[in-house]
Amino acid sequence: MFVVSPYLFLDHRSALADLAVEREHMRLGHFGSDLGPTWLSYLRAWFGGIAGPSLALASAAGLVVFLAVRRRAWAVLLGSFVIAYAALVSSFAMKADRYLLPLLPAAIVFACALAAELCGRLAGAAPGVPMSREERRARTGPPVGGADRAAGPRSRSDATRSPARSGIALAGVAAVLVLPALPALPALFTAPRPDTRTLAKGWFEGNVPAGAFVASEQYGPPLLSPLELQAIDRDLLPALQQRGYQPKLYALISVPLFQVAPERSARFYDPALYRVADVFVVSASVRDRYLREPARFAAQLAFYDTLAASWERWQEFPANGGPGPGITVYRQPGHAQVFAARRPSPGAPPVLGAGPQSGGEGYFYYNLGLNYEVFGFVAEALPVYLEGLRSAAVDPVSATGCAERAAGLLERVGRAADAGALLESAASQAPRPADAARLRALRSRILGGGG
């Protein structure tokens, strides 16, 4: 791990910070899906879709026999990992069935070792245990003597049939271990269903005009937006366009989702924030988690009620057991033209209500400002970026981006001095030295007239 991940040492501060974030995630859990004891949830998952009842029982019995009773060396080595890993993941508040997958190979080894042991006994001896002289004599019969010679062939016949019985038993045990997985086998040979997000994307590009303002929960259709467009390399974009890459561009804004302390998203579920939006996309992956704890997520559920009562349900893409979440598309009535076509102004940019910083404000304003700027509403974009600057303490990355975009707008309209003052103010408030240095370098370029 250390060889292929050298940045654990080269950038150890970032590595430790990321580990701290994951530690908090494991401690607090994944919102809406972590009710009840972790070990009980994993026990149900282990006997259900991960190992299945027969493999789960056989592996548990094998663990007891070879580790606790016989204390075989290989079982001690393998069992120590099983016990330590199971104890570790069960201590997390975070639950995910996939966390049990590392235990599956070890479970198969214990189950198969137990099967071989039991079936070997049908052949007359357990595998790996030498037979005593009396056992060998009972198998082959005495070498001499009339009556003994008569008994000899019968013993050899029994010895011939014992491996056959063992083989049949082993095949039967293997079938029992495999049976729970057989119902899922046909699905491996059928054509996979298309992902609902792919279906929704195709429908959007065929039915929703370019330039529409789309607010979407996480796990919605992957639409091209100003935020995505700026991430494409400038040298790559012309080459893509020459090859026919012309997807529709939407003013897409993502509704923040918090895996830890998820109630922080409540302030982003204010209907007033989306008066300028043409479309709102609800993802079942997000909505269903909120529905599990209605008292905790009352603001989010009230917003869904507002959508159902005041917006028009336009299109739906049910999951139906396939990949991707269920997706519901709402259209706001009364918008004769989409966001980009509403000139000279599509409407005042939304402003978050008063309240403590949740951690998503800077990203929200940066995303919103890009939508206004790219579609030509520069006067509206500037105050949006300035709002984003207030989030420097909790989201320095987004705040730095807001400062850079705001300075660029001021420079474009001939207000270089104002741009320089804004950058200096933002640099003085930046919590990270690297961000402050970056902002001051941009200030020097603008005020110095550099390219």
Side-chain angles (χ1 to χ4, degrees):
M1 183 185 70
F2 294 137
V3 169
V4 300
S5 305
Y7 286 97
L8 289 173
F9 301 104
L10 299 177
D11 191 6
H12 64 279
R13 290 184 179 178
S14 294
L16 293 175
D18 291 341
L19 288 172
V21 170
E22 281 307 310
R23 183 165 59 248
E24 183 184 28
H25 193 188
M26 296 300 104
R27 182 176 63 86
L28 298 177
H30 198 69
F31 84 98
S33 61
D34 300 318
L35 305 178
T38 303
W39 67 268
L40 185 58
S41 174
Y42 280 150
L43 192 63
R44 288 193 296 264
W46 183 250
F47 277 84
I50 300 297
S54 55
L55 178 60
L57 289 172
S59 61
L63 184 70
V64 172
V65 169
F66 296 110
L67 176 60
V69 178
R70 298 191 179 178
R71 298 182 182 178
R72 298 280 178 84
W74 67 267
V76 171
L77 181 64
L78 193 58
S80 62
F81 163 75
V82 170
I83 294 172
Y85 184 83
L88 175 67
V89 297
S90 296
S91 69
F92 300 154
M94 169 68 188
K95 302 183 183 72
D97 292 357
R98 63 184 177 274
Y99 289 176
L100 297 179
L101 291 178
L103 295 175
L104 198 54
I108 292 172
V109 169
F110 277 110
C112 290
L114 181 68
E117 173 89 5
L118 296 177
C119 294
R121 288 182 177 277
L122 293 176
V129 179
M131 289 185 293
S132 65
R133 182 178 301 175
E134 290 76 11
E135 288 174 327
R136 288 197 298 271
R137 183 175 298 172
R139 280 259 183 135
T140 59
V144 294
D148 291 336
R149 283 196 299 270
R154 287 195 297 271
S155 297
R156 285 193 296 271
S157 176
D158 290 342
T160 302
R161 287 196 298 270
S162 293
R165 289 198 302 268
S166 176
I168 294 172
L170 193 59
V173 171
V176 170
L177 294 177
V178 170
L179 280 176
L182 291 181
L185 191 61
L188 300 178
F189 300 97
T190 59
R193 297 180 180 180
D195 193 296
T196 53
R197 292 162 291 191
T198 303
L199 294 174
K201 181 178 185 292
W203 178 86
F204 256 88
E205 294 181 345
N207 295 274
V208 181
F213 192 113
V214 180
S216 176
E217 292 185 314
Q218 300 293 318
Y219 314 114
L223 305 174
L224 183 64
S225 68
L227 194 64
E228 296 292 332
L229 190 63
Q230 71 158 2
I232 300 177
D233 190 277
R234 292 184 179 182
D235 295 330
L236 177 61
L237 192 57
L240 291 173
Q241 291 173 339
Q242 289 176 4
R243 288 166 172 77
Y245 180 75
Q246 295 289 344
K248 288 184 176 180
L249 184 67
Y250 295 98
L252 176 68
I253 190 165
S254 297
V255 181
L257 171 70
F258 301 99
Q259 305 292 2
V260 177
E263 56 275 1
R264 290 181 291 161
S265 70
R267 66 183 318 203
F268 299 97
Y269 281 83
D270 179 0
L273 292 176
Y274 306 105
R275 288 173 183 162
V276 73
D278 301 300
V279 177
F280 195 97
V281 178
V282 173
S283 165
S285 291
V286 178
R287 180 196 59 205
D288 291 351
R289 291 173 180 175
Y290 290 140
L291 287 173
R292 289 173 190 157
E293 297 183 77
R296 184 182 183 187
F297 303 113
Q300 291 86 339
L301 300 190
F303 179 81
Y304 295 139
D305 292 340
T306 300
L307 282 179
S310 304
W311 292 52
E312 175 188 345
R313 187 187 294 260
W314 196 0
Q315 188 68 22
E316 195 156 6
F317 301 91
N320 291 332
I327 292 174
T328 306
V329 181
Y330 289 91
R331 175 168 53 185
Q332 180 150 224
H335 284 192
Q337 294 178 312
V338 296
F339 173 80
R342 297 200 292 268
R343 301 291 171 174
S345 173
V351 178
L352 289 163
Q357 291 275 329
S358 70
E361 291 82 2
Y363 178 82
F364 181 84
Y365 281 123
Y366 182 76
N367 190 171
L368 183 64
L370 270 180
N371 287 341
Y372 275 90
E373 180 184 355
V374 170
F375 284 101
F377 304 109
V378 176
E380 290 82 357
L382 181 58
V384 173
Y385 290 136
L386 295 180
E387 285 290 336
L389 287 175
R390 302 174 185 270
S391 304
V394 294
D395 187 358
V397 174
S398 298
T400 299
C402 285
E404 291 173 333
R405 301 299 303 194
L409 292 180
L410 291 172
E411 182 188 23
R412 194 186 309 173
V413 296
R415 297 169 58 186
D418 291 337
L422 183 147
L423 289 170
E424 179 57 36
S425 174
S428 64
Q429 298 176 31
R432 303 189 307 181
D435 295 329
R438 176 175 163 180
L439 293 172
R440 290 193 170 102
L442 179 58
R443 176 181 178 274
S444 298
R445 184 191 66 78
I446 292 176
L447 296 181

PDB file of all heavy atoms in Angstrom, residues 5 31 64 78 126 129 140 208 214 219 240 245 247 257 259 286 291 313-314 321 330 355 374 377 383 398 417 437 446:
ATOM      1  N   SER A   5       0.998   4.078  -2.954  1.00  0.00           N
ATOM      2  CA  SER A   5       0.344   5.296  -2.457  1.00  0.00           C
ATOM      3  C   SER A   5       1.373   6.205  -1.786  1.00  0.00           C
ATOM      4  O   SER A   5       1.303   6.475  -0.587  1.00  0.00           O
ATOM      5  CB  SER A   5      -0.764   4.935  -1.459  1.00  0.00           C
ATOM      6  OG  SER A   5      -1.678   4.042  -2.024  1.00  0.00           O
ATOM      7  N   PHE A  31     -26.630   8.700   6.499  1.00  0.00           N
ATOM      8  CA  PHE A  31     -27.931   9.168   6.950  1.00  0.00           C
ATOM      9  C   PHE A  31     -29.088   8.318   6.417  1.00  0.00           C
ATOM     10  O   PHE A  31     -29.083   7.870   5.288  1.00  0.00           O
ATOM     11  CB  PHE A  31     -28.127  10.634   6.566  1.00  0.00           C
ATOM     12  CG  PHE A  31     -28.619  10.868   5.160  1.00  0.00           C
ATOM     13  CD1 PHE A  31     -29.959  11.082   4.908  1.00  0.00           C
ATOM     14  CD2 PHE A  31     -27.738  10.892   4.114  1.00  0.00           C
ATOM     15  CE1 PHE A  31     -30.408  11.302   3.632  1.00  0.00           C
ATOM     16  CE2 PHE A  31     -28.176  11.118   2.829  1.00  0.00           C
ATOM     17  CZ  PHE A  31     -29.524  11.321   2.577  1.00  0.00           C
ATOM     18  N   VAL A  64     -15.497 -22.772  14.084  1.00  0.00           N
ATOM     19  CA  VAL A  64     -15.478 -23.340  15.441  1.00  0.00           C
ATOM     20  C   VAL A  64     -14.637 -24.614  15.483  1.00  0.00           C
ATOM     21  O   VAL A  64     -13.786 -24.797  16.370  1.00  0.00           O
ATOM     22  CB  VAL A  64     -16.915 -23.612  15.912  1.00  0.00           C
ATOM     23  CG1 VAL A  64     -16.904 -24.390  17.228  1.00  0.00           C
ATOM     24  CG2 VAL A  64     -17.691 -22.315  16.069  1.00  0.00           C
ATOM     25  N   LEU A  78      -6.108 -17.552   9.452  1.00  0.00           N
ATOM     26  CA  LEU A  78      -7.253 -17.027   8.712  1.00  0.00           C
ATOM     27  C   LEU A  78      -8.346 -16.538   9.656  1.00  0.00           C
ATOM     28  O   LEU A  78      -8.967 -15.495   9.442  1.00  0.00           O
ATOM     29  CB  LEU A  78      -7.800 -18.109   7.779  1.00  0.00           C
ATOM     30  CG  LEU A  78      -8.793 -17.676   6.703  1.00  0.00           C
ATOM     31  CD1 LEU A  78      -8.182 -16.618   5.812  1.00  0.00           C
ATOM     32  CD2 LEU A  78      -9.223 -18.879   5.868  1.00  0.00           C
ATOM     33  N   ALA A 126     -10.532 -38.968   8.323  1.00  0.00           N
ATOM     34  CA  ALA A 126     -10.555 -37.540   8.029  1.00  0.00           C
ATOM     35  C   ALA A 126      -9.323 -37.179   7.215  1.00  0.00           C
ATOM     36  O   ALA A 126      -8.256 -37.723   7.410  1.00  0.00           O
ATOM     37  CB  ALA A 126     -10.574 -36.729   9.321  1.00  0.00           C
ATOM     38  N   VAL A 129      -5.364 -36.909   8.487  1.00  0.00           N
ATOM     39  CA  VAL A 129      -5.152 -37.596   9.762  1.00  0.00           C
ATOM     40  C   VAL A 129      -4.711 -39.027   9.452  1.00  0.00           C
ATOM     41  O   VAL A 129      -5.491 -39.799   8.881  1.00  0.00           O
ATOM     42  CB  VAL A 129      -6.435 -37.619  10.621  1.00  0.00           C
ATOM     43  CG1 VAL A 129      -6.179 -38.356  11.925  1.00  0.00           C
ATOM     44  CG2 VAL A 129      -6.893 -36.197  10.876  1.00  0.00           C
ATOM     45  N   THR A 140      -8.034 -53.533   5.080  1.00  0.00           N
ATOM     46  CA  THR A 140      -7.533 -54.499   4.097  1.00  0.00           C
ATOM     47  C   THR A 140      -7.752 -55.947   4.504  1.00  0.00           C
ATOM     48  O   THR A 140      -7.720 -56.837   3.663  1.00  0.00           O
ATOM     49  CB  THR A 140      -6.036 -54.285   3.876  1.00  0.00           C
ATOM     50  OG1 THR A 140      -5.362 -54.449   5.131  1.00  0.00           O
ATOM     51  CG2 THR A 140      -5.776 -52.862   3.369  1.00  0.00           C
ATOM     52  N   VAL A 208     -36.162  18.894 -23.267  1.00  0.00           N
ATOM     53  CA  VAL A 208     -35.944  20.106 -22.487  1.00  0.00           C
ATOM     54  C   VAL A 208     -34.988  21.008 -23.256  1.00  0.00           C
ATOM     55  O   VAL A 208     -33.869  20.591 -23.582  1.00  0.00           O
ATOM     56  CB  VAL A 208     -35.372  19.786 -21.094  1.00  0.00           C
ATOM     57  CG1 VAL A 208     -35.187  21.061 -20.286  1.00  0.00           C
ATOM     58  CG2 VAL A 208     -36.294  18.813 -20.362  1.00  0.00           C
ATOM     59  N   VAL A 214     -32.004  23.858 -14.391  1.00  0.00           N
ATOM     60  CA  VAL A 214     -32.376  22.558 -13.834  1.00  0.00           C
ATOM     61  C   VAL A 214     -31.779  22.435 -12.434  1.00  0.00           C
ATOM     62  O   VAL A 214     -30.548  22.468 -12.279  1.00  0.00           O
ATOM     63  CB  VAL A 214     -31.885  21.403 -14.724  1.00  0.00           C
ATOM     64  CG1 VAL A 214     -32.279  20.056 -14.121  1.00  0.00           C
ATOM     65  CG2 VAL A 214     -32.427  21.539 -16.137  1.00  0.00           C
ATOM     66  N   TYR A 219     -27.425  12.120  -7.760  1.00  0.00           N
ATOM     67  CA  TYR A 219     -27.754  10.894  -8.490  1.00  0.00           C
ATOM     68  C   TYR A 219     -28.835  11.136  -9.543  1.00  0.00           C
ATOM     69  O   TYR A 219     -29.550  10.217  -9.925  1.00  0.00           O
ATOM     70  CB  TYR A 219     -28.185   9.763  -7.538  1.00  0.00           C
ATOM     71  CG  TYR A 219     -27.291   9.607  -6.334  1.00  0.00           C
ATOM     72  CD1 TYR A 219     -27.767   9.865  -5.056  1.00  0.00           C
ATOM     73  CD2 TYR A 219     -25.958   9.225  -6.476  1.00  0.00           C
ATOM     74  CE1 TYR A 219     -26.941   9.749  -3.944  1.00  0.00           C
ATOM     75  CE2 TYR A 219     -25.127   9.107  -5.376  1.00  0.00           C
ATOM     76  CZ  TYR A 219     -25.621   9.371  -4.120  1.00  0.00           C
ATOM     77  OH  TYR A 219     -24.809   9.258  -3.018  1.00  0.00           O
ATOM     78  N   LEU A 240     -13.192  17.808 -29.274  1.00  0.00           N
ATOM     79  CA  LEU A 240     -14.464  17.125 -29.056  1.00  0.00           C
ATOM     80  C   LEU A 240     -15.557  17.693 -29.955  1.00  0.00           C
ATOM     81  O   LEU A 240     -16.356  16.955 -30.533  1.00  0.00           O
ATOM     82  CB  LEU A 240     -14.877  17.251 -27.587  1.00  0.00           C
ATOM     83  CG  LEU A 240     -14.037  16.479 -26.563  1.00  0.00           C
ATOM     84  CD1 LEU A 240     -14.465  16.840 -25.142  1.00  0.00           C
ATOM     85  CD2 LEU A 240     -14.177  14.978 -26.783  1.00  0.00           C
ATOM     86  N   TYR A 245     -19.221  16.439 -30.733  1.00  0.00           N
ATOM     87  CA  TYR A 245     -19.633  16.504 -29.334  1.00  0.00           C
ATOM     88  C   TYR A 245     -20.365  17.819 -29.096  1.00  0.00           C
ATOM     89  O   TYR A 245     -19.757  18.861 -28.869  1.00  0.00           O
ATOM     90  CB  TYR A 245     -18.397  16.397 -28.421  1.00  0.00           C
ATOM     91  CG  TYR A 245     -18.703  16.451 -26.941  1.00  0.00           C
ATOM     92  CD1 TYR A 245     -19.268  15.356 -26.288  1.00  0.00           C
ATOM     93  CD2 TYR A 245     -18.406  17.581 -26.189  1.00  0.00           C
ATOM     94  CE1 TYR A 245     -19.534  15.394 -24.933  1.00  0.00           C
ATOM     95  CE2 TYR A 245     -18.670  17.631 -24.820  1.00  0.00           C
ATOM     96  CZ  TYR A 245     -19.229  16.534 -24.201  1.00  0.00           C
ATOM     97  OH  TYR A 245     -19.499  16.579 -22.851  1.00  0.00           O
ATOM     98  N   PRO A 247     -23.465  18.274 -26.913  1.00  0.00           N
ATOM     99  CA  PRO A 247     -24.614  18.063 -26.010  1.00  0.00           C
ATOM    100  C   PRO A 247     -25.208  19.394 -25.589  1.00  0.00           C
ATOM    101  O   PRO A 247     -24.544  20.431 -25.622  1.00  0.00           O
ATOM    102  CB  PRO A 247     -23.981  17.343 -24.821  1.00  0.00           C
ATOM    103  CG  PRO A 247     -22.554  17.793 -24.823  1.00  0.00           C
ATOM    104  CD  PRO A 247     -22.188  17.983 -26.264  1.00  0.00           C
ATOM    105  N   LEU A 257     -26.013  17.506  -0.653  1.00  0.00           N
ATOM    106  CA  LEU A 257     -26.350  16.297   0.106  1.00  0.00           C
ATOM    107  C   LEU A 257     -25.214  16.041   1.086  1.00  0.00           C
ATOM    108  O   LEU A 257     -24.044  16.055   0.704  1.00  0.00           O
ATOM    109  CB  LEU A 257     -26.509  15.105  -0.836  1.00  0.00           C
ATOM    110  CG  LEU A 257     -26.655  13.732  -0.205  1.00  0.00           C
ATOM    111  CD1 LEU A 257     -28.007  13.607   0.501  1.00  0.00           C
ATOM    112  CD2 LEU A 257     -26.512  12.632  -1.257  1.00  0.00           C
ATOM    113  N   GLN A 259     -23.648  13.392   3.804  1.00  0.00           N
ATOM    114  CA  GLN A 259     -23.697  12.034   4.330  1.00  0.00           C
ATOM    115  C   GLN A 259     -23.591  12.036   5.850  1.00  0.00           C
ATOM    116  O   GLN A 259     -24.152  11.173   6.519  1.00  0.00           O
ATOM    117  CB  GLN A 259     -22.551  11.206   3.739  1.00  0.00           C
ATOM    118  CG  GLN A 259     -22.498  11.191   2.222  1.00  0.00           C
ATOM    119  CD  GLN A 259     -23.649  10.445   1.600  1.00  0.00           C
ATOM    120  OE1 GLN A 259     -24.530   9.963   2.300  1.00  0.00           O
ATOM    121  NE2 GLN A 259     -23.680  10.361   0.284  1.00  0.00           N
ATOM    122  N   VAL A 286     -32.102   9.853  -2.780  1.00  0.00           N
ATOM    123  CA  VAL A 286     -32.090  10.880  -1.742  1.00  0.00           C
ATOM    124  C   VAL A 286     -33.434  10.936  -1.030  1.00  0.00           C
ATOM    125  O   VAL A 286     -33.510  10.908   0.207  1.00  0.00           O
ATOM    126  CB  VAL A 286     -31.753  12.254  -2.359  1.00  0.00           C
ATOM    127  CG1 VAL A 286     -31.793  13.345  -1.298  1.00  0.00           C
ATOM    128  CG2 VAL A 286     -30.388  12.208  -3.036  1.00  0.00           C
ATOM    129  N   LEU A 291     -37.346  10.001   3.695  1.00  0.00           N
ATOM    130  CA  LEU A 291     -38.653   9.462   4.088  1.00  0.00           C
ATOM    131  C   LEU A 291     -38.547   8.502   5.263  1.00  0.00           C
ATOM    132  O   LEU A 291     -39.527   8.303   5.996  1.00  0.00           O
ATOM    133  CB  LEU A 291     -39.305   8.742   2.901  1.00  0.00           C
ATOM    134  CG  LEU A 291     -39.840   9.645   1.778  1.00  0.00           C
ATOM    135  CD1 LEU A 291     -40.293   8.810   0.588  1.00  0.00           C
ATOM    136  CD2 LEU A 291     -40.993  10.494   2.283  1.00  0.00           C
ATOM    137  N   ARG A 313     -45.842  17.474 -12.561  1.00  0.00           N
ATOM    138  CA  ARG A 313     -45.034  16.260 -12.729  1.00  0.00           C
ATOM    139  C   ARG A 313     -44.909  15.996 -14.235  1.00  0.00           C
ATOM    140  O   ARG A 313     -45.895  15.707 -14.910  1.00  0.00           O
ATOM    141  CB  ARG A 313     -45.703  15.070 -12.040  1.00  0.00           C
ATOM    142  CG  ARG A 313     -44.837  13.806 -12.027  1.00  0.00           C
ATOM    143  CD  ARG A 313     -45.631  12.630 -11.483  1.00  0.00           C
ATOM    144  NE  ARG A 313     -45.965  12.801 -10.092  1.00  0.00           N
ATOM    145  CZ  ARG A 313     -45.310  12.233  -9.081  1.00  0.00           C
ATOM    146  NH1 ARG A 313     -44.290  11.441  -9.337  1.00  0.00           N
ATOM    147  NH2 ARG A 313     -45.683  12.445  -7.846  1.00  0.00           N
ATOM    148  N   TRP A 314     -43.703  16.099 -14.739  1.00  0.00           N
ATOM    149  CA  TRP A 314     -43.483  16.082 -16.187  1.00  0.00           C
ATOM    150  C   TRP A 314     -43.144  14.686 -16.704  1.00  0.00           C
ATOM    151  O   TRP A 314     -43.709  14.204 -17.673  1.00  0.00           O
ATOM    152  CB  TRP A 314     -42.370  17.062 -16.530  1.00  0.00           C
ATOM    153  CG  TRP A 314     -42.268  17.451 -17.971  1.00  0.00           C
ATOM    154  CD1 TRP A 314     -43.052  17.025 -18.996  1.00  0.00           C
ATOM    155  CD2 TRP A 314     -41.316  18.357 -18.542  1.00  0.00           C
ATOM    156  NE1 TRP A 314     -42.670  17.611 -20.163  1.00  0.00           N
ATOM    157  CE2 TRP A 314     -41.608  18.441 -19.921  1.00  0.00           C
ATOM    158  CE3 TRP A 314     -40.278  19.113 -18.034  1.00  0.00           C
ATOM    159  CZ2 TRP A 314     -40.869  19.235 -20.801  1.00  0.00           C
ATOM    160  CZ3 TRP A 314     -39.546  19.916 -18.895  1.00  0.00           C
ATOM    161  CH2 TRP A 314     -39.837  19.975 -20.263  1.00  0.00           C
ATOM    162  N   GLY A 321     -36.197  -2.315 -10.444  1.00  0.00           N
ATOM    163  CA  GLY A 321     -35.196  -3.346 -10.185  1.00  0.00           C
ATOM    164  C   GLY A 321     -33.928  -3.213 -10.988  1.00  0.00           C
ATOM    165  O   GLY A 321     -32.990  -3.988 -10.806  1.00  0.00           O
ATOM    166  N   TYR A 330     -39.990  17.374 -12.418  1.00  0.00           N
ATOM    167  CA  TYR A 330     -41.072  18.343 -12.245  1.00  0.00           C
ATOM    168  C   TYR A 330     -40.785  19.574 -13.111  1.00  0.00           C
ATOM    169  O   TYR A 330     -39.622  19.991 -13.250  1.00  0.00           O
ATOM    170  CB  TYR A 330     -41.193  18.769 -10.778  1.00  0.00           C
ATOM    171  CG  TYR A 330     -41.733  17.703  -9.863  1.00  0.00           C
ATOM    172  CD1 TYR A 330     -40.876  16.814  -9.206  1.00  0.00           C
ATOM    173  CD2 TYR A 330     -43.100  17.575  -9.634  1.00  0.00           C
ATOM    174  CE1 TYR A 330     -41.370  15.838  -8.348  1.00  0.00           C
ATOM    175  CE2 TYR A 330     -43.607  16.614  -8.777  1.00  0.00           C
ATOM    176  CZ  TYR A 330     -42.738  15.753  -8.144  1.00  0.00           C
ATOM    177  OH  TYR A 330     -43.234  14.780  -7.296  1.00  0.00           O
ATOM    178  N   GLY A 355     -29.121  31.609   8.877  1.00  0.00           N
ATOM    179  CA  GLY A 355     -28.898  30.369   9.619  1.00  0.00           C
ATOM    180  C   GLY A 355     -27.429  30.052   9.693  1.00  0.00           C
ATOM    181  O   GLY A 355     -26.602  30.666   9.005  1.00  0.00           O
ATOM    182  N   VAL A 374     -22.144  32.226 -17.306  1.00  0.00           N
ATOM    183  CA  VAL A 374     -21.954  31.561 -18.591  1.00  0.00           C
ATOM    184  C   VAL A 374     -23.088  31.867 -19.555  1.00  0.00           C
ATOM    185  O   VAL A 374     -22.877  31.978 -20.774  1.00  0.00           O
ATOM    186  CB  VAL A 374     -21.787  30.038 -18.385  1.00  0.00           C
ATOM    187  CG1 VAL A 374     -21.843  29.288 -19.705  1.00  0.00           C
ATOM    188  CG2 VAL A 374     -20.467  29.755 -17.673  1.00  0.00           C
ATOM    189  N   PHE A 377     -25.556  36.594 -17.919  1.00  0.00           N
ATOM    190  CA  PHE A 377     -26.166  37.486 -16.930  1.00  0.00           C
ATOM    191  C   PHE A 377     -25.099  37.910 -15.911  1.00  0.00           C
ATOM    192  O   PHE A 377     -25.106  37.504 -14.747  1.00  0.00           O
ATOM    193  CB  PHE A 377     -27.337  36.787 -16.240  1.00  0.00           C
ATOM    194  CG  PHE A 377     -28.377  36.277 -17.211  1.00  0.00           C
ATOM    195  CD1 PHE A 377     -28.538  34.923 -17.436  1.00  0.00           C
ATOM    196  CD2 PHE A 377     -29.184  37.169 -17.911  1.00  0.00           C
ATOM    197  CE1 PHE A 377     -29.488  34.457 -18.332  1.00  0.00           C
ATOM    198  CE2 PHE A 377     -30.140  36.716 -18.806  1.00  0.00           C
ATOM    199  CZ  PHE A 377     -30.289  35.355 -19.027  1.00  0.00           C
ATOM    200  N   PRO A 383     -23.019  39.548  -7.551  1.00  0.00           N
ATOM    201  CA  PRO A 383     -23.434  39.441  -6.135  1.00  0.00           C
ATOM    202  C   PRO A 383     -23.528  38.003  -5.642  1.00  0.00           C
ATOM    203  O   PRO A 383     -23.365  37.746  -4.446  1.00  0.00           O
ATOM    204  CB  PRO A 383     -24.802  40.133  -6.114  1.00  0.00           C
ATOM    205  CG  PRO A 383     -25.268  40.153  -7.519  1.00  0.00           C
ATOM    206  CD  PRO A 383     -24.038  40.220  -8.369  1.00  0.00           C
ATOM    207  N   SER A 398     -14.348  26.530  -2.397  1.00  0.00           N
ATOM    208  CA  SER A 398     -15.401  27.223  -3.136  1.00  0.00           C
ATOM    209  C   SER A 398     -15.280  28.733  -2.973  1.00  0.00           C
ATOM    210  O   SER A 398     -15.521  29.495  -3.924  1.00  0.00           O
ATOM    211  CB  SER A 398     -16.778  26.746  -2.673  1.00  0.00           C
ATOM    212  OG  SER A 398     -16.953  25.377  -2.929  1.00  0.00           O
ATOM    213  N   ALA A 417      -9.014  47.972 -10.271  1.00  0.00           N
ATOM    214  CA  ALA A 417      -8.687  48.341  -8.890  1.00  0.00           C
ATOM    215  C   ALA A 417      -9.631  47.658  -7.905  1.00  0.00           C
ATOM    216  O   ALA A 417      -9.200  47.174  -6.837  1.00  0.00           O
ATOM    217  CB  ALA A 417      -8.751  49.859  -8.732  1.00  0.00           C
ATOM    218  N   ALA A 437      -2.019  32.757  -1.181  1.00  0.00           N
ATOM    219  CA  ALA A 437      -0.968  33.001  -2.167  1.00  0.00           C
ATOM    220  C   ALA A 437      -1.529  32.992  -3.584  1.00  0.00           C
ATOM    221  O   ALA A 437      -1.130  33.805  -4.431  1.00  0.00           O
ATOM    222  CB  ALA A 437       0.127  31.941  -2.019  1.00  0.00           C
ATOM    223  N   ILE A 446      -3.616  41.012 -12.326  1.00  0.00           N
ATOM    224  CA  ILE A 446      -4.636  41.975 -12.764  1.00  0.00           C
ATOM    225  C   ILE A 446      -4.116  43.405 -12.656  1.00  0.00           C
ATOM    226  O   ILE A 446      -4.231  44.215 -13.584  1.00  0.00           O
ATOM    227  CB  ILE A 446      -5.930  41.782 -11.950  1.00  0.00           C
ATOM    228  CG1 ILE A 446      -6.578  40.441 -12.312  1.00  0.00           C
ATOM    229  CG2 ILE A 446      -6.892  42.927 -12.203  1.00  0.00           C
ATOM    230  CD1 ILE A 446      -7.813  40.121 -11.476  1.00  0.00           C
TER     231      ILE A 446
END
